Each structure stands twice: as C-alpha cells, then as structure tokens.
Amino acid sequence: MKPINTLLYSLLVAIACVLWIVFTPEPIGATGSPHPDVPSMRVAVDGEARYTPISAPILILQTATLTAMASLLLLPFKTPLRQHGMRRRLMLVLGLSVIVWLAINMSYERFLTGPQEMENLNFIAGFPLPSALAVYAVWGVGLLLTFFYVFGFNRFIYTNEDREGFEALLREHEGES
Amino acid sequence: MEELRQPIILGSVLFYMVLCIGIGLWAMRKTKSAGDFFVAGRSLGPIVVGLAVFSSSLSGFGFVGGPGLVYSTGLSSVWMSTVTAFGFAIGFFLIAKRIRMIAEVRDTLSLPDIVAARYNSELARGLTGVTILLGVLGYMATQILAMAMVLKALLAATPMFADISLVTCAVISTSVLIFYSVTGGIIASVYTDLVQGSIMIVAGILVVITAANVFDGGMTEVSQTIFADDPEAIMPFGTVGAVGVLSWFFLFGFGLAGQPHIITKMMMNRRIEDNKIILPMSMLGYAVAVLLWVSVGLVMRAVVVGDMLTPLEAADQAAPVFLSEYAHPLLAGIVFAGLFAAIMSTADAFLNIGAAAIVHDIPKAVRGMAMKAELTSARWATVIISLIATGFALYAHYGSGQLVALLGAFGWGTFAAAIVPIVVIGLNWKRATRPAAITAIIFSLVINLAFQVLGWSLPYAMHPGFLALLVSMVLFILVSFATPEEEIAKDINRIMEL
C-alpha cells in the first residue's frame, strides 16, 4: 500500500476513535480534580474508573497515531531502493513504538487492577515502571529516527545523485535568469 | 554568598541584555538586504542553526510553564516533551532538504513564499501570511507579558526598584528585544539564539543535578512522595488522563514540523549536508531543557505534598521558587538569564516572520509585489508588531485577557493544523492540490477560532488543536483526491523528485 493511503486510513481510524471516546460518557473527575489541600495542584484519585471505559479506543488511537507517523515519514522516499531501505527501518521504529505503547498500557492496567501499593511497584531510574517506559522508552525509540537520519543521510536523505540533480537544476536556473 | 543572591541574579540578567544589544550592533553591519534580514543570506553554520532551531522552539513555557504544568498535573505533560523526538524527525525527514532547495532556487524569504511556489497560488500565500501574522501577534503578546512579569518580580525584590510598574518593565524588556531585532534582523536573532541556546543547555544540566539532590533518595524518593499523596500523579498519564495526553502527543508530534519560526530556520543553513548535524544538535538541546522542565516540576510537587514547603500560590511559581529555595545564587543567576533567553529567542523568531508577512507575503499576495525598500520596511514592521503586541500584553494584564486569548487561538495549534498538511505533506506528495491547501488552512482557522470564541471544550481534556490538525490532514488528502491533478512548476517538480 502507498504511504499516503496508509496515512489516510490511520487518520480515519484515529477520527473513529475520537468519536468513540466523545460518545462514551465521561466519568466524574475524568480529567482530574482540585487537590483537597493544595491550591493550584490537581489530583486524579480513581484511575481505574476513568481509564477502563475508554481503554480500547485509547489503545487503537495511539497505535493509529504511531502508524500515521511512520507512513508520513516514508512519504519523501521516491525511488524503490530508498523506499525499501527506509521502510525496513521505519517498520522497526513503528514496531518498537507499538511494543513500548503496549507495555505502558499493560503495566498501567496491571497497576490499576492490583492493590495499588508502593511495595508492589518496580521503580526504574526514578519512576514506576509504566512511567519510566513513558519517559525513557518513548523518547529512546524516537531517537532511533535521528540515528537513521544522521547515519543514513548520504544513502537515503541526500545522495550523490540528489546533489548532482540539484546542482544541475541550479545551473539551469542560473542560465535561464 | 547568599546575601549576594539578588545582585548576582540582576547582574546576570543585565549582562545578558547588554550582550543581546552588542550582538544587535554587530549584526547590523552584516545586514545589507532583505535576504540578510529574513533568512541570513542562507549562510549560517550547522551549530548556529541547530541551537537556533532548539532555542526558538522552546519559549518561556519550557522554563516556567512546563515546570508549573508538572507541578499542577504530575507526569501528564511528559508526553508533550518525549514526542519531540518524533516531531523533530518528521520536520527533518520531510521538509528540511526540500525547503532549503526551494529557498535557493526561488530565492525565497519566508514560508508563504514556499507555499506559493509549491501550489502556484497567491491566495495560498496570502492565507498563510495572514495566519502567521495573527498567530505572531498572540504569541508575541504572551512572550512580552512573561518577560515583563519576570523582570518586575526580579526588580521588585530590590529596595531601589520595589515600586517599579509592569509598564516600565514591559518597556525595558521590549526595548532590548526591538533593538537587536531591528538592527540585526534574523542574523542578530540566530546569534542571540546561539547564546540563548548555550545558556539554556548549561542552566538545564545544572538545574537537573540540583533537583536530583533535593531528596536524599533522588528521583525515586521524589516519585514515592508524590505517589503517597496521589498515585495517578506519578503514573504515565498524570492527572489529566490518557485522552488528553495522547491528544498532546499527536499535536506536538505532527505539529512541531508545522511551526513557521522553526521551518524558516531550515532555509538558513549554508549547505544541505549540514542538516545531519542540525537535527542531533536540536534534539540534544531540547532533551536537556525537558529534563529541567520535568525534574523541577516533580521536585516542587514532592516538597509541597511532603510538607517540606508551603503550597505555591500559582503553579507557574514552581521554577522561580525552586531557584530561590534550592539553587546556588550563581546557578539562579544563570537560570534567570536562561529564562529571558528562552522567551526572547522565541519572540525574536516570531518578530522576524511577522515582519516578513507584513512587508513581503501579504503585499505580494494582494498586489503581486513586496513593499518597496523592503529592508527599511521590515525594520519598521518589526517595531510596529512589537508595539502592538506590547499593547495587547498590557491590555490583557490590566483589562481583558480575551483579546490575547483570541489571538492565542491562532498560535501553536493553528500553525500545526494549517501548515502540516500544506507544507509537510504537500512538499512530499505531488497529488496535493491548491483547493486542498486552501481548504486545510481555512478549516484550521475556523475550528481553532470556533473553540476559542464559543468557549467549546472536548470531553476527556482532548486538545482542540489536535482535532483541528486531525481534521485538516484528512480533508487535505481527501480534497486532493477529489480535485483534478494539477501541474507543478518544473523546478519544484524536480526538487520533489530528489
């Protein structure tokens, strides 16, 4: 499937999820409520009550968002060689992103349905496991894109052919003017 | 040393402002044409552009609003920051190379020039120019108000300036901004960004180290203290909830590549190959700033809920109170200079693209040519935008905030919704058409304005900008498919092949 079609379908799925969420009755305090003792601070209190009714569309929405990002990133690669090489790399990033996203969800749901006591939580680099994944792993997977850009620059982004093509265009343009 | 805290902070801020004025004077000698004023003659090195991209993408929000948001809502806003790894990548994968090429071939000065070249449409140019101008006024007003309030808080703490007014502080801070932006244009802007970006990175690293040492148990103890008060606050979606934070993830992930003050900087590098240095430079700077944003906010939440400090009156006080309570005076001085740096680096970038909209883009769309004496006109336009924005800022503070709020609606979310489809997709997809571009811009303006004017809100704290961006991207693709294929200018077509 062409990247633009995948992008469109992913965005349409995202719109469907938005409608699903909009038409799901919002529990009281779904977006937090004022802290009982501290002004200008908010609390959430019952995570399970506000998360469970919409956990399915949330899961699909974020997966669609990540797929849309990967499809968009594939859009500039025109030649089959470049598209093939970059597709493999972007599929890796998409796969890892979805795995991280599922891991965040599963560990968070396990926390919500469990006893919710500190002793039951694994703290990794300063954060409980689901949050550590959100802070470090989402960022880390995204950094792979920078890595591919820098080290694949001459092969995928701006090749010798591109440079020659652009220089030829500049020469023609200067000749015309 | 503690008794010298105030003089050190004021001295640092004063030194920083004098440095900006000096850079403005130096850059004035290098600014000889409108091309120098708006795009620095496409002659900048990768480190300068990299730090300029990062520092102008992170306004005062990163140093004040960000820690305040974490203090108030826990980990919710982390998603805004981690997604920038995707956001910067989208910008560089999709548009950095093509924009730099079009800028050189067509000698473009602004983003609306690029849009006009791609779609061969003066209407698209004009609409993009108007969108940018409206967004710039709103952004500038908020940045000027932030600068004035921080300066007032600093000066009012000294006996000599105890009664200084907000108007005076607005005049002082805006004068410095106007001076270097008018004299040196974008050259002054990017070289002050270089200083500003460096200060922000140094300040960020030192603050993170300080924050991690407030509790003996480091960040784990911080998290545990927050957990004991409200477990959800330290869980991945914070108090805002999953839908709200994922709408931020979408908006900031796709939308970063649609910010005109960032895109414009992609026209300024000397060589296309420099992009492979600019992207990691920008990412590095942003990562450090994000660490500051998150760590300060969490530490302040932990010390307040752990009864180590009295509650803050407003969430935005999180960073200033952290600095006064826990930072060494020298670090506080650097960070306050960094705070002005963060605000000014965004403000000067907006001044520049706003001036381009007034003297170049809108006149070209309306009458087919830019204003005469473009460089002089650009300098006057810079002054006029600053004065109008200062007026809005003071009106918002003393009168009604509605006007600034309205213009603010044309800010981040509108830039993202209007520009991502037409530029980010449009420069990489030949099937995109003119009617689709115009539809996307109009819908992005209408949706964002409707939510602001009519006071609508979406359930589960979904961000209206997310909805606007999602709808405009879908409309852009569908309208393109539904309208006849168009011929693209030969040079643009060849660039889109590369």
Side-chain angles (χ1 to χ4, degrees), chain B residues 41 101 134 151 182 190 194 216 225 261 266 302 334-335 338 357 382-383 385 467 482 485:
Chain B
M101 286 177 167
L134 290 170
L151 189 61
V182 166
V190 293
L194 178 69
D216 291 339
T225 308
H261 56 301
M266 293 175 177
I334 294 172
V335 175
T382 304
V383 175
I385 293 171
L467 186 70
E485 201 162 350

Side-chain angles (χ1 to χ4, degrees), chain A residues 51 59 62 97-111 129-138, chain B residues 79 235-237 246:
Chain A
Y51 185 76
L59 195 69
Q62 184 65 353
S97 298
V98 172
I99 289 169
V100 167
W101 169 235
L102 293 175
I104 291 170
N105 252 279
M106 285 161 62
S107 54
Y108 180 54
E109 284 192 333
R110 199 176 308 128
F111 162 75
L129 176 63
S131 308
L133 288 168
V135 173
Y136 302 118
V138 172
Chain B
W79 293 82
M235 279 296 148
F237 305 119
L246 294 185

Side-chain angles (χ1 to χ4, degrees), chain B residues 277-320:
Chain B
I277 301 171
I278 296 171
L279 173 59
M281 282 289 299
S282 308
M283 286 291 302
L284 172 74
Y286 208 93
V288 172
V290 162
L291 287 174
L292 178 149
W293 162 355
V294 175
S295 60
V296 169
L298 287 178
V299 166
M300 287 309 291
R301 186 167 177 120
V303 294
V304 168
V305 299
D307 291 329
M308 292 164 63
L309 199 69
T310 52
L312 308 179
E313 286 175 19
D316 284 351
Q317 289 178 344

Side-chain angles (χ1 to χ4, degrees), chain A residues 25-26 31-32 35 41-44 50 58 62 72 76 78 108 118 121 126 131 139 149 157 163 172-173, chain B residues 72 84 94 97-98 105 223-224 227 229-230 232 234-236 238-239 249 273 275 287 301 428 460 494:
Chain A
E26 192 176 344
T31 58
H35 194 289
M41 198 182 277
R42 296 181 70 79
V43 289
R50 66 182 193 154
I58 283 174
Q62 184 65 353
L72 186 64
K78 305 296 181 199
Y108 180 54
M118 210 174 327
L121 279 178
S131 308
W139 177 266
Y149 186 86
I157 310 292
R163 190 176 298 110
E172 285 170 32
H173 194 74
Chain B
S72 171
T84 51
L94 280 112
K97 178 180 76 175
R98 299 203 201 291
V105 170
S223 293
Q224 289 170 340
F227 184 94
D229 177 66
D230 176 26
E232 280 293 290
I234 198 67
M235 279 296 148
T239 67
F249 185 91
E273 292 87 339
N275 282 327
R301 186 167 177 120
N428 294 283
Y460 293 96
R494 278 179 60 184

Side-chain angles (χ1 to χ4, degrees), chain A residues 2-106:
Chain A
K2 286 182 180 174
I4 191 71
N5 293 334
T6 317
L7 174 63
L8 177 61
Y9 297 143
S10 309
L11 295 175
L12 289 173
V13 169
I15 286 183
C17 291
V18 168
L19 291 172
W20 186 350
I21 291 166
V22 165
F23 289 110
T24 304
E26 192 176 344
I28 294 167
T31 58
S33 49
H35 194 289
D37 305 317
V38 185
S40 74
M41 198 182 277
R42 296 181 70 79
V43 289
V45 190
D46 191 349
E48 193 181 1
R50 66 182 193 154
Y51 185 76
T52 310
I54 47 167
S55 59
I58 283 174
L59 195 69
I60 302 169
L61 172 66
Q62 184 65 353
T63 308
T65 300
L66 294 169
T67 310
M69 281 179 174
S71 316
L72 186 64
L73 283 163
L74 199 55
L75 214 51
F77 302 101
K78 305 296 181 199
T79 61
L81 191 67
R82 281 197 226 184
Q83 205 171 66
H84 180 68
M86 196 42 84
R87 192 189 297 269
R88 279 169 38 207
R89 286 161 176 78
L90 290 176
M91 286 303 288
L92 173 69
V93 172
L94 175 61
L96 288 174
S97 298
V98 172
I99 289 169
V100 167
W101 169 235
L102 293 175
I104 291 170
N105 252 279
M106 285 161 62

